[in-house]
Amino acid sequence: MSAEMVAPAWMRQQVGAEQYDSWSEEQCAGIEIVDGMVVASPSPSPSASKRHSRLARILANALDSAAGPDWNADTDFDVRSQDVPLTNRRPDVVVYRAETIDLTPTRPEHVLLVVEVVSPGSETTDRIVKVDQYAKSGIPFYWRVEQAATGVPIIYTYVLDPATKAYRDGEMFTGTLKAAVPFPVAVDLGTI
């Protein structure tokens, strides 16, 4: 099978910021751009997709309520860490400065926290690659949600060490999240 049969040409060529910004939301859905190249974000199975979406939405709602007026929490939009080569990641949940709601693209300096919900096919990216990229771009907090076989999510939290531009381990929560940083938030994920 040739590459033309598997992926359209626009997915095999380096993409610049101006070109990406001209694409429709439909073209941008389900992809990220890393070093200028389109990377398809794996879609979980239909049942895992519902759980994934629900976890992200519940976390975003809880974070949005707890964050106060200076921060918003939303799901599924780009965070652009660099223009050349273009790198856009699409975290599952983003907590960002409320005053930047109308600014596009969202930049790491606007972001306080990103959350990734790990799904089959995203394990290495969410556990290793994105952790490094988010830390190097200066995002202060990273949370990773693992969907355990028991059905009870496990939440790993990380805090940026600004001197090393690397995350250090924070707290781990099973089922119920009761975090003190970046602001107090509590949510029961064990009922999902």
Side-chain angles (χ1 to χ4, degrees), residues 94-168:
V94 180
V95 177
Y96 60 96
R97 293 186 187 284
E99 66 197 32
T100 66
I101 193 168
D102 294 320
L103 292 180
T104 302
T106 298
R107 300 286 185 173
E109 57 268 22
H110 306 151
V111 176
L112 178 65
L113 164 70
V114 292
V115 180
E116 293 289 356
V117 179
V118 179
S119 296
S122 75
E123 296 97 334
T124 300
T125 302
D126 291 344
R127 292 175 186 155
I128 299 169
V129 178
K130 287 184 178 181
V131 176
D132 184 59
Q133 288 178 339
Y134 293 147
K136 284 187 174 39
S137 68
I139 296 173
F141 298 91
Y142 176 70
W143 292 359
R144 188 182 83 238
V145 181
E146 296 281 345
Q147 300 183 64
T150 61
V152 178
I154 301 169
I155 302 103
Y156 296 90
T157 66
Y158 302 90
V159 180
L160 184 66
D161 178 341
T164 62
K165 288 280 194 172
Y167 288 116
R168 59 181 164 75

Side-chain angles (χ1 to χ4, degrees), residues 43-55 117-120 147:
S43 295
S45 68
S47 62
S49 179
K50 287 180 188 175
R51 181 174 297 279
H52 182 279
S53 296
R54 184 163 173 76
L55 280 166
V117 179
V118 179
S119 296
Q147 300 183 64

